[in-house]
Amino acid sequence: MNTAPRNVDRRSFVKGLSTGIAAFSAASAFPSLARGASASSPKKLGIALVGLGNYSTKQLAPALEEATDCYLAGVVTGTKSKEAVWREKYGIKRSNIYNYENYDSIASNPDIDIVYVVLPNSMHAEYSIRAANAGKHVICEKPMAMNVAECEAMIAACKKNNVQLSIGYRLHFDPNTREIMKVAKEKPYGDIQYVQSEASFIMGNNLDAWRLDRELAGGGAVMDMGVYCIQAARYATGEEPIAIRSQEFKTDWNKFKNVDETVTFQMEFPSGAYSNSTTSYNIRSNRLYVSYSKGLAQLEPATKYGGIKGSIQDRILDPQPINQQRRQMDGFARSVKTGTPSIVPGEEGLADMKVIEALYKSLQQGGKRVVI
Ligand code: NAD
């Protein structure tokens, strides 16, 4: 049973948070926590996972067992029965197990350097900001938050508390995805003309799932998987989109009565490149296609946890034997240790959220072009 508060009024919530930030800065009370270990420190940084659902249980916690620069030091859960299970499985100290009521007291725990928020989307801003106020560095899962205002409040809270903020964009740590980014930067095949990105899956029949509840998820496929399409178009072009048009298709009006099921959208980029994307909770698709003036690249699958493969011209990109989540968390731990910015800072999540807001605006306007 979860005891965490449901978030109803986002506007007053963000306003309240700003007041909270001004009133209490644990980073100033515990400056050593905010700075983390020194660059040369061999110390593994302690991570606390907040929310022990599927992603924490099946991906993040196992990945932390392989990590070299961080380890699973603590957890935050609203489900009492999970406490002993996680304590025993991962050897977590009793004093490093928190619930949603005593969460803020994590501020005085020197074992926890980084808080990783893995909760339903509507809780990302609140729990990230509270972690920052507790003087902890923050990783927040995608989508960063419910809207642009929340993303900005999260970035401001981390800046104010002198802690780093990173978004769970694991694909930036995948070598084959990084090859696509490199082509966008170095342009060996000429101009980038067109990107096609698709990220979808077929949602199961659990109609109580928070992903189908607009108040908790902020939207449907767009918030969950569309963010990968937006990311892909942005890193495959190396540009920020300037305008968007979007269209929605719904085939199951019962299951998807509160959230979007399938959405296609087209984006324009400053160089003249454009993209076409599809995201859905009711089809199977997972690929990236990039047309250059003198070549092409493709990845399929393009967003899975492992096995990302494809080609750039006649160069085959074989699947790499890496753990994306381990690399992502180790990468962030090293950023904290060395005081260098994360390669996926809060600003990356904010950029995607600006696109998402424009996408939904276009949907409301019957697919009209919306400037981002
Ligand atoms: P999940 O439903 O499996 O887990 C959610 C957790 O939040 C559960 O432990 C649940 O008990 C807890 N919770 C607390 N308050 C809740 C409430 N009011 N309603 C529902 N649950 C509540 O979800 P998940 O798949 O682990 O996703 C969590 C976050 O991680 C989401 O933001 C999702 O987008 C993100 N995610 C990212 C990736 C990735 O590849 N980066 C993959 C999966 C999920």
Side-chain angles (χ1 to χ4, degrees):
M1 180 60 190
N2 266 297
T3 47
R6 272 172 77 107
N7 228 329
V8 182
D9 180 351
R10 310 301 306 165
R11 205 179 293 267
S12 56
F13 162 67
V14 170
K15 195 162 160 253
L17 288 171
S18 328
T19 321
I21 295 161
F24 173 71
S25 165
S28 50
F30 302 98
S32 61
L33 296 181
R35 280 195 301 273
S38 74
S40 57
S41 168
K43 178 188 176 243
K44 282 188 177 189
L45 299 189
I47 293 194
L49 295 175
V50 188
L52 305 180
N54 258 309
Y55 195 54
S56 285
T57 306
K58 294 184 184 153
Q59 305 301 329
L60 299 176
L64 280 166
E65 291 205 287
E66 294 175 28
T68 52
D69 291 86
C70 50
Y71 73 105
L72 182 58
V75 292
V76 181
T77 177
T79 312
K80 195 84 193 140
S81 60
K82 288 184 184 170
E83 294 183 3
V85 176
W86 280 70
R87 226 175 42 229
E88 277 156 35
K89 183 158 187 193
Y90 293 104
I92 299 169
K93 283 192 214 166
R94 199 177 282 270
S95 54
N96 290 358
I97 309 262
Y98 291 85
N99 56 45
Y100 297 114
E101 279 70 49
N102 64 17
Y103 176 60
D104 301 292
S105 63
I106 212 165
S108 59
N109 188 331
D111 292 345
I112 314 287
D113 302 286
I114 297 166
V115 165
Y116 194 155
V117 177
V118 202
L119 291 164
N121 307 342
S122 64
M123 301 167 77
H124 288 185
E126 176 185 351
Y127 283 84
S128 296
I129 291 170
R130 283 167 67 181
N133 285 346
K136 306 301 178 183
H137 301 279
V138 183
I139 311 177
C140 177
E141 258 316 319
K142 45 62 56 179
M144 180 168 171
M146 299 287 268
N147 51 48
V148 167
E150 285 191 354
C151 295
E152 288 172 344
M154 290 161 76
I155 292 170
C158 289
K159 282 212 172 97
K160 185 181 170 63
N161 287 295
N162 193 25
V163 295
Q164 289 210 34
L165 170 62
S166 179
I167 308 305
Y169 287 142
R170 57 186 164 76
L171 294 172
H172 287 249
F173 299 83
D174 170 71
N176 287 340
T177 306
R178 293 203 68 79
E179 288 296 315
I180 301 286
M181 295 173 185
K182 193 165 167 235
V183 174
K185 202 167 167 207
E186 296 174 1
K187 298 199 170 47
Y189 306 111
D191 293 338
I192 295 141
Q193 300 173 308
Y194 170 71
V195 176
Q196 187 181 344
S197 56
E198 298 181 0
S200 307
F201 69 92
I202 297 187
M203 170 71 76
N205 278 323
N206 179 4
L207 296 185
D208 293 330
W210 63 263
R211 282 182 170 82
L212 297 175
D213 181 339
R214 181 168 286 276
E215 269 191 21
L216 289 169
V222 167
M223 290 292 272
D224 196 9
M225 300 304 286
V227 75
Y228 288 106
C229 301
I230 295 164
Q231 272 278 301
R234 289 181 53 235
Y235 57 65
T237 56
E239 296 178 42
E240 296 302 332
I242 50 175
I244 188 166
R245 290 180 176 82
S246 58
Q247 309 80 34
E248 182 174 6
F249 301 88
K250 207 170 274 212
T251 61
D252 188 335
W253 287 87
N254 181 38
K255 193 193 260 186
F256 303 108
K257 61 177 175 290
N258 292 320
V259 299
D260 41 275
E261 174 190 323
T262 300
V263 173
T264 58
F265 54 98
Q266 303 77 42
M267 296 192 284
E268 300 165 31
F269 292 83
S271 65
Y274 71 104
S275 65
N276 189 23
S277 302
T278 300
T279 187
S280 175
Y281 269 160
N282 218 6
I283 60 171
R284 292 183 184 86
S285 69
N286 195 297
R287 65 194 194 115
L288 170 63
Y289 180 96
V290 195
S291 168
Y292 310 105
S293 54
K294 290 184 245 159
L296 65 89
Q298 48 195 334
L299 291 180
E300 187 170 6
T303 74
K304 294 236 157 100
Y305 297 148
I308 290 178
K309 61 181 178 10
S311 58
I312 297 177
Q313 280 297 72
D314 49 8
R315 182 157 62 98
I316 302 296
L317 301 175
D318 287 319
Q320 299 294 308
I322 55 119
N323 181 315
Q324 296 166 5
Q325 287 84 0
R326 179 192 71 72
R327 287 169 69 111
Q328 176 210 323
M329 291 185 282
D330 272 341
F332 185 62
R334 284 194 294 275
S335 290
V336 169
K337 285 186 196 180
T338 57
T340 47
S342 161
I343 62 168
V344 278
E347 285 75 6
E348 265 294 308
L350 171 63
D352 292 331
M353 195 53 64
K354 285 181 177 165
V355 176
I356 289 176
E357 279 197 358
L359 182 157
Y360 280 127
K361 198 168 166 193
S362 173
L363 278 187
Q364 279 164 5
Q365 296 178 1
K368 279 202 182 129
R369 179 177 185 272
V370 171
V371 172
I372 299 168

